Amino acid sequence: MDRGLEVYQRFLDGDEKALDELIAMYRNSLTAFICGFVKDSDIAENIMIDVFVELIRHKGFKGKSSLKTYLFAIGRNKALRHLKSNRRDFISLDDVENYISSDDLFTEKLIEKERREMVHEAMDKLNPIYREVIYLLYFEEMSYKEISLVLRKSSKQVANIAYRAKQSLRFHIEERMNADEQNK
């Protein structure tokens, strides 16, 4: 049995601490997943809270998938609804300040920042469904079956999307690396 399902069942049975445990289990990964859509950590945090509110209010989880898969599906739907209603992108000053560091780590941070930017830039160029599959596959370590439940597609469709997404991501990273080489 899925650990999340066990904790959720304890919550349904009246164990108040189980809710805190559920939130601790899924908070960070769910918020990061949602942030991939909305590009703002505060908004992602609010949507993550809405996901748990929906889980508590509706108690609609039937155990047909893992609890993580269920929460990510709700989070995805809420993030997409948010994007439809709010079409603004902006950069958080907190994100900029995170890259400012002492002189000892400056070079290391710059290299890491450039590598992350390259991957993020390539991810941003991907078709949105490719981006979702790559994120769920590599960052959340979900199986094709779990991803198929989140995206409401067959496992075979997810495998095909993942294959094309990896090719596209590789292409965009190589394109960026070639452009960087030409600019030097």
Side-chain angles (χ1 to χ4, degrees):
M1 181 186 259
D2 170 17
R3 172 139 166 69
L5 184 57
E6 290 174 20
V7 177
Y8 180 65
Q9 191 58 51
R10 283 191 3 239
F11 167 71
L12 291 177
D13 293 340
D15 182 354
E16 302 264 336
K17 292 182 182 178
L19 178 60
D20 293 335
E21 196 174 332
L22 281 174
I23 292 171
M25 286 172 68
Y26 299 112
R27 173 188 196 135
N28 293 337
S29 59
L30 182 58
T31 303
F33 175 66
I34 294 167
C35 196
F37 289 96
V38 299
K39 309 287 191 239
D40 182 284
S41 58
D42 292 332
I43 292 170
E45 182 86 12
N46 289 335
I47 292 173
M48 179 273 305
I49 291 167
D50 287 345
V51 169
F52 282 102
V53 167
E54 184 167 323
L55 179 71
I56 294 164
R57 273 195 194 142
H58 300 292
K59 297 179 181 156
F61 179 62
K62 305 292 186 222
K64 294 179 182 176
S65 64
S66 72
L67 183 63
K68 180 178 182 177
T69 301
Y70 180 74
L71 293 173
F72 274 62
I74 294 171
R76 176 181 185 267
N77 291 335
K78 287 187 174 293
L80 291 175
R81 268 187 239 122
H82 172 80
L83 289 175
K84 284 182 183 177
S85 62
N86 301 324
R87 293 274 182 195
R88 291 181 288 168
D89 287 333
F90 56 90
I91 299 172
S92 167
L93 289 178
D94 293 335
D95 293 338
V96 174
E97 289 174 6
N98 287 337
Y99 290 109
I100 298 172
S101 63
S102 68
D103 289 339
D104 298 339
L105 299 174
F106 185 71
T107 304
E108 185 179 318
K109 287 264 189 187
L110 267 178
I111 292 168
E112 179 64 22
K113 177 182 175 244
E114 185 175 321
R115 187 179 67 79
R116 251 189 265 149
E117 283 177 357
M118 187 181 312
V119 171
H120 283 284
E121 184 180 300
M123 290 279 290
D124 285 343
K125 289 180 179 179
L126 292 177
N127 176 314
I129 192 72
Y130 290 1
R131 187 171 41 245
E132 286 180 69
V133 169
I134 292 288
Y135 182 84
L136 293 171
L137 193 60
Y138 293 106
F139 294 95
E140 293 305 322
E141 299 176 351
M142 287 185 173
S143 67
Y144 287 162
K145 181 175 174 130
E146 291 172 317
I147 295 170
S148 72
L149 293 170
V150 171
L151 301 179
R152 297 181 183 150
K153 297 191 177 293
S154 72
S155 293
K156 180 65 176 163
Q157 286 175 308
V158 170
N160 290 337
I161 292 168
Y163 177 77
R164 289 191 304 269
K166 290 175 202 175
Q167 286 184 318
S168 183
L169 185 62
R170 187 177 302 116
F171 171 79
H172 289 302
I173 289 173
E174 288 172 358
E175 183 180 58
R176 165 76 188 269
M177 290 173 72
N178 290 337
D180 288 350
E181 284 297 315
Q182 289 178 357
N183 290 336
K184 287 184 180 182

